[in-house]
Amino acid sequence: MGFVTAQPQELEGPPVSLAERAYTAIQDRLIMLDIPPMAPIDDTALSASLGLGRTPVREALKRLEVDRLVVSYPRRGTFATGVDITDLAYISEIRVQLEPLAARRAAETAGPGVKSELAELADEVADLDVRALERAQLMRCDLRVHRAIYRAAGNPHLEDTLVRYDNLATRIFCLFLDRMPHFDRHVGEHTALLRAIADGDGDTAAELALVHVTGFEKAIRAII
């Protein structure tokens, strides 16, 4: 079965305004490192490349600053945030608590239709030739799985929080992907996690989510 990776706009739901379109598009460029860490952001050039006005772009950048994807300095301008090992420690500290919670909630509270979709997604991931994917495809595969789990947990506040920190973790993943010898194993872990949720096994789902997050941190630390 072929795996269709979500396009940027599909990860956050359909855009409802020009500002939302700008937010989704710029967020994708930041997560995928098309705008590299610490790079200056020219809102005029960004507006032109997106085919949007400067007002929605500026509104989007304000939201992205709250998400810690960009940072603004008086008289200096706006920049993509940096990525360093301290970020990884802080992000992991939060994710080790919340990712297992989301996985458990999804397993214990999601309805049959949602669990059926997660089971189908598990089969798609299992059929992937991960090493044959381009970086952007691989990252969107990872994002799609995590977003599906967060939605299935049925707590919009938990979902919003996890999306924010998963975005930051994905930037780190992108940055170090070429140096990770076993990234295919990391992506492959999604299959068992999704199946545990689909089977309603909250204990196993929470355990696998914890292993997944801690394993990611260990893999990154091993190469830096």
Side-chain angles (χ1 to χ4, degrees), residues 125 128-134 138 183-184 187-188:
V125 174
L128 277 178
D129 182 356
V130 174
R131 290 191 173 273
L133 296 178
E134 296 179 355
L138 180 64
F183 67 85
D184 52 333
V187 176

Side-chain angles (χ1 to χ4, degrees), residues 109-121 152 198:
T109 66
V114 171
K115 288 181 176 177
S116 177
E117 291 174 0
L118 294 180
E120 292 177 4
L121 183 55

Side-chain angles (χ1 to χ4, degrees), residues 31-192:
I31 294 172
M32 299 297 166
L33 305 186
D34 294 329
I35 301 175
M38 305 302 294
I41 296 175
D42 181 339
D43 59 2
T44 301
L46 199 52
S47 298
S49 69
L50 294 173
L52 297 170
R54 293 177 67 183
T55 297
V57 167
R58 287 175 175 174
E59 291 177 10
L61 291 173
K62 289 179 183 178
R63 287 180 62 187
L64 292 163
E65 187 166 13
V66 174
D67 293 343
R68 296 185 180 273
L69 288 170
V70 304
V71 60
S72 295
Y73 300 103
R75 296 178 297 278
R76 288 183 56 198
T78 301
F79 300 80
T81 52
V83 175
D84 59 37
I85 192 62
T86 304
D87 292 322
L88 176 63
Y90 290 149
I91 293 164
S92 296
E93 186 175 30
I94 296 167
R95 294 182 76 216
V96 297
Q97 300 296 324
L98 298 187
E99 293 273 355
L101 173 62
R104 182 184 294 278
R105 277 188 56 87
E108 295 178 350
T109 66
V114 171
K115 288 181 176 177
S116 177
E117 291 174 0
L118 294 180
E120 292 177 4
L121 183 55
D123 291 340
E124 292 183 39
V125 174
D127 288 343
L128 277 178
D129 182 356
V130 174
R131 290 191 173 273
L133 296 178
E134 296 179 355
R135 186 184 72 173
Q137 292 176 309
L138 180 64
M139 292 299 103
R140 292 199 174 101
C141 165
D142 189 82
L143 288 168
R144 181 184 174 193
V145 170
H146 283 275
R147 297 298 187 276
I149 294 171
Y150 304 157
R151 283 193 298 270
N155 181 332
H157 300 286
L158 178 62
E159 180 180 356
D160 287 347
T161 301
L162 278 170
V163 165
R164 176 179 298 179
Y165 288 101
D166 187 52
N167 286 343
L168 297 174
T170 301
R171 292 181 83 217
I172 297 172
F173 197 1
C174 278
L175 190 62
F176 293 103
L177 177 63
D178 292 342
R179 296 165 59 188
M180 292 178 67
H182 304 300
F183 67 85
D184 52 333
R185 296 181 191 173
H186 179 74
V187 176
E189 290 172 1
H190 291 144
T191 301

